[in-house]
Amino acid sequence: MGVASIAVWLVGTAAGETGEGFVYAWLVPDDGRRGWMVFDPAEGVFRECDEAGTVLEDGMEVCFALPEDESARRHARWEGRQEWRVTVTAAYGVWKRFQQDGKPPERAHRTFY
């Protein structure tokens, strides 16, 4: 398995059901895969969305603020999807910067295998 880098950047904000969220675009430069996710800092949740920040009906959701067993249970339904690993990697990059800086970052970069 090779090593891939992933670039994540803030593209705007979107109003969701729970309030404002920060919309991030991610890109795997090695193969051109891309997607979008909206981050709700109050909930610590990333939700798969479209370019406008509209959450997808059956979209993936990543939550780092849950206890590990609850996180594994909730995330299990998406583990088979092709983009799951990339989405988690992108979300983790943003989450780590958010924890360090106390605010959603403009950019984040991650490497995954």
Side-chain angles (χ1 to χ4, degrees):
M1 212 186 253
V3 177
S5 62
I6 188 167
V8 187
W9 63 97
L10 182 65
V11 293
T13 57
E17 292 176 15
T18 58
E20 288 246 334
F22 297 86
V23 180
Y24 287 89
W26 56 259
L27 170 68
V28 180
D30 302 345
D31 61 17
R33 286 182 289 168
R34 64 176 53 241
W36 293 268
M37 60 188 178
V38 62
F39 172 45
D40 182 341
E43 291 184 33
V45 175
F46 295 83
R47 292 181 176 93
E48 186 178 18
C49 66
D50 62 16
E51 294 175 62
T54 303
V55 174
L56 304 180
E57 188 172 321
D58 193 30
M60 294 178 279
E61 182 179 284
V62 180
C63 184
F64 295 108
L66 294 173
E68 190 173 335
D69 59 336
E70 176 65 11
S71 176
R73 186 186 68 73
R74 285 182 57 183
H75 295 162
R77 68 186 270 204
W78 296 295
E79 286 180 355
R81 289 185 58 178
Q82 181 181 7
E83 302 304 334
W84 172 248
R85 188 170 175 207
V86 180
T87 301
V88 170
T89 303
Y92 186 71
V94 173
W95 180 250
K96 291 303 287 183
R97 293 283 307 275
F98 175 67
Q99 287 185 309
Q100 291 170 0
D101 302 341
K103 62 182 181 178
E106 293 283 324
R107 295 184 173 279
H109 298 278
R110 298 298 296 170
T111 300
F112 66 101
Y113 299 88

